[in-house]
Structure formats: structure tokens, C-alpha cells
Amino acid sequence: MMWTWAPWLFPLLCKFSLAALPAKPENISCVYYYRKNLTCTWSPGEETSYTQYTVRRTYAYGQKHDNCTTSSSTSENRASCSFFLPRITNPDNCTIEVEAQNADGVITSDMTYWHLEGIAKTEPPEIFSVRPVWGIKRMIQIEWIKPELAPVSSNLKYTLQFRTVSSTSWMEVNFTKNRRDTDQTYNLTGLQAFTEYVIALRCAVEGSKFWSDWSHEKMGTTEEEAPFGLELWRVLKPAEADGRRPVQLLWKKPRGAPVLEKTLGYNIWYFPENNTNITETMNATNQPLELHLGGESYWVSMISYNSLGKSPVATLRIPAIQEK
């Protein structure tokens, strides 16, 4: 009797053994693109046959429901579905579950729960001005236009990133603007003088885990300062036949001075140590500078200057020929 029925059971058993339910949708993630759409994505698994996905949503705090449908035939968009205005209200809580269906059956994801303000994402702010505030050193003021569609009922948090034009390393500062604040400016302090900076800005609804994209970059330069003091060196050369002694002067900015500090020129004066009434003066715009001194000891002083003022005086003693 068993062997009589076996040929009839074999095709039926094969049919059930070859049935392949779709993979259960996992890793559901939703983003509320503010005043545009609610888009949910998921991991569809490796499907071997045509699979249709239906995203089931409840909204209006559970009072309403609707569906969004896509399929595996839509290439890269097969694991994404969007709900559009006017069926999106904020603030709101909603639930999302994804149903996968193929010819062999249906399987449904776990239920997920979403608070729209917690997943809201806005457009980036638009920077329109990066400029120094005259009279305030080492600072630039950034002005921007906040996203037109940013929620009027929420504060916005910001991340401002900046770097010098010669650097590839970004630094960041974070701050929050109150929803009632009409002053969309930020004063970035502690910078280098007379240095060009690159600025970018992003924002997020306070309480949301999604940041906007970065704004377009904007550049601005800090205000110039009067020069720092100089570090001064000398190279003593052998005395010439006429008794004069060449002395080469070299200088550099001290450690910590702005790299791009603008200098227009240098004033130099020198005199014998035992006769301060004989003082020679000269100007220079670059180095090295060579002086021709007598055999006695001398004092040499130098300042640098620009359009805003003069540096502190740098002074150097030149020993007499007979000194060791």
C-alpha cells in the first residue's frame, strides 16, 4: 500500500520542499525629510524570485493608516518606499511594518515605532557672509540663512566646521539657536591673525538624530594685526683689509606668531656700545642684511611694521673683535 501511493506523493512533496518564502525584512530605518516626505528603507535579503513589498503605516497617533508598495523589479529602489504630503503631520507618532510577498507566501517584519520630530531632517543652512569684525582681533563672524522649511516650533542645533586654507584638518564647534532667535550669526574666536579660513555649517532639529547635509563652503579672512616681535641672529665675518667687519643679520618671527602676518618692512639702527651718539639707521624689506661695522662692540636694534603698527624692538649685541 505504501509503495502504491509513493509515486503520487513524490511530486507533492517536491512542490512543498521547493517553496521559498521571501526573506523577512530587517533593519527598518525611516527619515522624515521635513515638509517633503517620510521615507523608509530596509534590508530585503537575497531574493531569488519576484518579491513585492508593502509598507504598512499607522499615523495621526494611530487613528489612520495607509500603505506604500514597491517590488524587487525596481532595482536600487526596491528596498525603499515613501509617504508624501498631505498625509504627513508633525508632530506625530507612527508605526511602520514591511510585508514581503512572493509566489510562495508572505512574511512580515517586526513592528517599528517612530516619532517624527526624532527623525526629521532639514535642508542645510546657506552661509552668505564670513567676515572679520573690525577692531576685534582673531575673530570672524559667520552669517547664514536657516533652512526655509525648518520647523518653526523647534530649536535648531548647529555644527560649524572650519580650517585654514592651507590645512586639510577640520575643527568643529557646536551650538544651538532658539526657535525665536532671528539673529543667525556666530562669532568664531581664537583664530590666527590675517589668515584665510574655510567655513561649512550643518543643522538638525533639536531632538532629531539626523543632521542636514553640509552647506556650501565659504571663505573669510581674519583681521590683520600689528607685527609680533622678531628673533634676531648675527653671523660674524672676518675683518676686511680696511678694518671694517661685515656682520650678517638674520631674523624670523617668534614661535606662535601668525603665519600669514603681513609685514611691509623693517627699521634697523645700530651704534657703538661706548658711544650712543653715533647711531646709524637703515630700512630693509627682506633678509639677510649685511652691516659693515668697526672692530668695537655694537648694539643693533630692529622693528618690523605694517599698516596697523610696529612690532616690539628686537635688540642684539655684536661683540668686539678681540672678545672671545
Side-chain angles (χ1 to χ4, degrees), residues 319-324:
I321 289 179
Q322 68 274 15
E323 291 185 45
K324 293 184 180 179

Side-chain angles (χ1 to χ4, degrees), residues 80-97:
S80 174
C81 218
S82 299
F83 299 88
F84 296 92
L85 297 174
R87 294 184 301 165
I88 305 175
T89 56
N90 185 51
D92 194 5
N93 293 329
C94 65
T95 65
I96 296 288
E97 61 180 350

Side-chain angles (χ1 to χ4, degrees), residues 18-315:
L18 293 175
L21 291 176
K24 180 180 178 180
E26 303 280 358
N27 303 320
I28 298 173
S29 178
C30 297
V31 182
Y32 172 36
Y33 296 98
Y34 188 73
R35 299 289 294 276
K36 290 185 176 181
N37 64 69
L38 172 66
T39 297
C40 295
T41 59
W42 58 90
S43 300
E46 296 184 5
E47 305 295 354
T48 58
S49 61
Y50 177 89
T51 304
Q52 177 175 284
Y53 296 95
T54 301
V55 182
R56 304 192 185 282
R57 176 180 72 134
T58 67
Y59 65 104
Y61 297 96
Q63 300 302 309
K64 299 179 180 179
H65 61 86
D66 58 0
N67 299 334
C68 172
T69 301
T70 185
S71 68
S72 62
S73 62
T74 56
S75 64
E76 74 274 6
N77 294 324
R78 69 191 187 98
S80 174
C81 218
S82 299
F83 299 88
F84 296 92
L85 297 174
R87 294 184 301 165
I88 305 175
T89 56
N90 185 51
D92 194 5
N93 293 329
C94 65
T95 65
I96 296 288
E97 61 180 350
V98 181
E99 178 186 276
Q101 181 176 5
N102 64 13
D104 296 314
V106 176
I107 192 165
T108 303
S109 72
D110 296 333
M111 183 79 71
T112 60
Y113 302 86
W114 305 93
H115 178 56
L116 289 193
E117 287 196 345
I119 57 172
K121 182 174 181 176
T122 71
E123 293 293 313
E126 178 187 351
I127 301 175
F128 69 87
S129 173
V130 179
R131 60 183 179 84
V133 177
W134 301 115
I136 303 179
K137 306 299 183 184
R138 305 193 178 198
M139 186 185 89
I140 50 177
Q141 186 176 79
I142 298 95
E143 295 183 78
W144 66 91
I145 301 171
K146 73 178 184 178
E148 183 178 355
L149 297 180
V152 295
S153 60
S154 301
N155 299 335
L156 290 182
K157 55 186 180 181
Y158 290 87
T159 296
L160 188 153
Q161 65 175 11
F162 61 99
R163 61 177 175 83
T164 63
V165 292
S166 59
S167 173
T168 57
S169 298
W170 291 95
M171 294 172 282
E172 292 187 352
V173 61
N174 296 291
F175 58 92
T176 299
K177 285 286 187 179
N178 188 280
R179 64 182 183 274
R180 297 186 183 91
D181 195 348
T182 58
D183 178 24
Q184 303 300 310
T185 64
Y186 185 83
N187 294 332
L188 187 59
T189 59
L191 305 177
Q192 298 179 44
F194 201 59
T195 302
E196 190 171 26
Y197 283 86
V198 183
I199 305 295
L201 192 64
R202 68 176 183 175
C203 66
V205 176
E206 192 172 46
S208 174
K209 64 179 181 179
F210 291 114
W211 288 88
S212 73
D213 296 332
W214 288 103
S215 69
H216 292 299
E217 295 176 358
K218 195 88 169 177
M219 292 190 291
T221 304
T222 50
E223 189 178 15
E224 184 180 355
E225 287 185 356
F228 276 45
L230 299 170
E231 293 182 358
L232 193 57
W233 282 269
R234 80 282 193 280
V235 178
L236 306 179
K237 297 184 177 182
E240 297 174 342
D242 61 1
R244 294 194 307 163
R245 181 174 41 150
V247 176
Q248 190 178 69
L249 292 181
L250 300 165
W251 58 89
K252 71 173 185 178
K253 298 172 184 177
R255 182 177 299 177
V259 176
L260 297 180
E261 173 193 306
K262 185 177 181 181
T263 299
L264 298 179
Y266 305 90
N267 293 331
I268 303 99
W269 64 97
Y270 55 96
F271 53 86
E273 189 173 38
N274 59 1
N275 192 350
T276 58
N277 293 324
I278 304 175
T279 301
E280 300 285 344
T281 61
M282 61 190 308
N283 295 323
T285 56
N286 50 42
Q287 61 175 313
L289 176 67
E290 192 165 279
L291 307 177
H292 292 270
L293 308 177
E296 65 268 48
S297 58
Y298 277 78
W299 284 100
V300 177
S301 298
M302 174 182 283
I303 62 168
S304 59
Y305 62 90
N306 63 15
S307 60
L308 294 180
K310 299 177 180 179
S311 73
V313 178
T315 302

